[in-house]
Amino acid sequence: MDLLKADYLDKLGPLLSAEAAAEAPGAGVDAADLEQAVWVRLLESGRHAPDPAEPAESARWLRRAVRAEARRARRRARREIPYDHGPHTADGHRGHATDTSTPAGAAAGAEPEGALLNGEENRALRSAVARLPGRCPELMKALLSPRDLTYREIAGELGISQGSLGPVRSRCLGCLRRMLAAEVAAPGLRGKER
């Protein structure tokens, strides 16, 4: 490691640790893994790496890199399918398309039913979100957006302060929870009720 990279380690190490610790739970990865991925990205960036003499530019690059690695981890988690899930044969082995030990209609019949139930749940949720009062529908759509927006970007789109997003989100989720609980029998209370 040359002197330039050692300088990065000393100056950006604490900031990277803090940023990775903040992003890791949402990405479903360990903070240390996220840190390591960002350091690898820095080493691979070569001449495109930020100048350590400009701390603001380095910090901005680091935050962007942490968010990008967290998004990459979330996408990877959505694509990866655990091996032990899926149909199993009577002897405990995983069934395949060429496996004739299970009837062809048994596995195929379960998939459309699950898709139908999932579709109904999604429609009920979208309908409830659309009926929320005030800015709640816009906020919920922004929070659930596949673009993975930050609070700053959401606040800019909705034209409200970034500090008010958390309390507004909490009120919207509470309202949504009450609406859905009235429509669907909830199995029981979870957490504190106000």
Side-chain angles (χ1 to χ4, degrees):
M1 181 184 284
D2 61 348
L3 185 58
L4 176 70
K5 303 301 181 194
D7 195 27
Y8 275 121
L9 185 62
D10 293 338
K11 289 184 179 181
L12 297 180
L15 178 61
L16 176 58
S17 296
E19 290 287 331
E23 289 285 338
V29 296
D30 188 36
D33 292 340
L34 201 53
E35 278 186 62
Q36 182 178 4
V38 173
W39 284 124
V40 168
R41 181 182 273 218
L42 176 67
L43 290 172
E44 289 175 344
S45 65
R47 58 191 182 128
H48 298 291
D51 184 14
E54 296 180 32
E57 179 188 340
S58 299
R60 205 173 356 210
W61 181 91
L62 184 86
R63 286 186 185 100
R64 270 189 264 129
V66 169
R67 274 195 237 118
E69 290 299 329
R71 278 192 302 271
R72 182 177 292 152
R74 279 192 294 274
R75 282 193 304 267
R76 188 174 347 145
R78 281 193 300 254
R79 282 193 314 258
E80 292 176 354
I81 300 170
Y83 180 72
D84 61 346
H85 288 269
H88 292 273
T89 59
D91 61 355
H93 291 90
R94 192 171 163 81
H96 297 285
T98 58
D99 189 0
T100 58
S101 62
T102 57
E111 289 180 21
E113 181 179 324
L116 176 68
L117 291 174
N118 191 21
E120 288 177 5
E121 289 173 354
N122 285 339
R123 276 190 295 279
L125 181 61
R126 281 193 305 269
S127 172
V129 166
R131 292 190 318 259
L132 286 171
R135 290 189 163 166
C136 289
E138 298 168 9
L139 176 60
M140 297 307 292
K141 286 176 187 171
L143 287 171
L144 297 173
S145 169
R147 294 185 302 163
D148 193 28
L149 301 172
T150 64
Y151 264 27
R152 180 180 294 160
E153 293 165 337
I154 292 171
E157 280 189 11
L158 299 179
I160 59 177
S161 72
Q162 185 176 347
S164 66
L165 278 179
V168 171
R169 180 191 65 118
S170 179
R171 286 191 296 273
C172 292
L173 287 174
C175 186
L176 182 63
R177 189 179 305 116
R178 287 188 297 276
M179 287 172 67
L180 291 175
E183 294 175 10
V184 179
L189 297 178
R190 293 189 192 127
K192 282 180 18 181
E193 283 291 315
R194 293 183 185 201

